[in-house]
Amino acid sequence: MARRTDPLLHARRREQIVAGAAHAFAEKGYDGATVKDICRKSGLGSGTIFHYFADKRAILHGMLEVDRDVTIADLRAIEDDDALIAFWQVIDRLTEDLRDPLAGPLTFMLLGQLRTDPVVGELLGAVDAVAHGRLADLITRLQTEGRADPDWKPAHAATWAQSISDGLYLRSGDEDFDASFELVRLRTVLTRTFLLPPG
């Protein structure tokens, strides 16, 4: 008789592994981190890890899949009764990881992987596509309501909003990076750029 898998335990174990991998990759980079490092950071043995993932590359993909699924679900769950509030909630969701000390090292690790692993680009691109669609729709509504600069094409404005927000991740590893300060400045820049009412 086949052994039944507890879906909650299965999900928790995968989360434990990808959380440990995130710490290992942030500390040593993708190439420098070993499965042994991931075992140490996750508190699990290699047998358990290989039960869930075939290899280190699969663990990286699993880490990005978890992030993709959670972020997309969060973006789709944002209520858009008030387009301005929803716009800022999307921006806040896209930048919330900036407060995590792992953000900088993981950003640079992923940039390195983009050159060699197309799956990384696909997984990151899936989040970007959903975020872009949400932002473009909200900017269209704000323009229609007279609450945003009507001279921007909404899709172009959404690309700029994402580019400015994403740019902070490139600085998040700097020694003097202060996420709270930078996120306040981000709101100021986006408000002035798109002629939004303060929010």
Side-chain angles (χ1 to χ4, degrees):
M1 189 159 125
R3 201 171 68 182
R4 287 189 177 166
T5 302
D6 177 349
L8 291 175
L9 177 62
H10 184 81
R12 276 199 305 271
R13 281 281 190 266
R14 282 181 64 89
E15 287 171 16
Q16 191 175 350
I17 294 165
V18 299
H23 281 85
F25 294 149
E27 188 177 294
K28 297 189 173 183
Y30 178 80
D31 293 328
T34 64
V35 172
K36 190 173 182 179
D37 294 322
I38 295 169
C39 290
R40 197 168 25 256
K41 294 291 184 180
S42 65
L44 297 170
S46 60
T48 301
I49 287 177
F50 287 125
H51 174 74
Y52 289 91
F53 296 99
D55 54 26
K56 186 171 74 167
R57 179 68 52 189
I59 297 170
L60 173 64
H61 294 166
M63 182 181 85
L64 293 174
E65 286 164 1
V66 168
D67 183 67
R68 175 201 60 196
D69 295 347
V70 170
T71 305
I72 287 175
D74 289 348
L75 289 171
R76 289 184 172 150
I78 292 171
E79 298 287 333
D80 62 359
D81 297 336
D82 183 312
L84 185 62
I85 291 171
F87 175 86
W88 290 120
Q89 288 176 336
V90 170
I91 295 297
D92 289 345
R93 179 58 187 91
L94 294 176
T95 57
E96 75 178 26
D97 291 337
L98 285 167
R99 298 180 192 281
D100 186 334
L102 300 182
L106 285 176
T107 296
F108 285 100
M109 180 275 294
L110 290 172
L111 286 173
Q113 292 306 303
L114 281 171
R115 292 178 297 140
T116 58
D117 186 347
V119 175
V120 170
E122 291 167 17
L123 291 167
L124 296 174
V127 173
D128 283 348
V130 172
H132 189 271
R134 293 286 338 247
L135 288 169
D137 289 345
L138 292 166
I139 290 166
T140 299
R141 285 185 47 201
L142 288 166
Q143 289 173 331
T144 302
E145 296 166 6
R147 298 200 287 167
D149 185 346
D151 293 333
W152 286 80
K153 288 184 178 174
H156 189 228
T159 298
W160 268 86
Q162 283 179 281
S163 297
I164 295 167
S165 301
D166 289 349
L168 289 177
Y169 282 92
L170 297 176
R171 289 205 41 245
S172 63
D174 293 355
E175 204 172 291
D176 63 343
F177 184 79
D178 179 343
S180 297
F181 174 80
E182 298 297 349
L183 291 171
V184 170
R185 297 304 297 164
L186 174 66
R187 279 186 171 243
T188 301
V189 168
L190 293 178
T191 295
R192 292 176 181 173
T193 300
F194 301 123
L195 303 180
L196 299 169

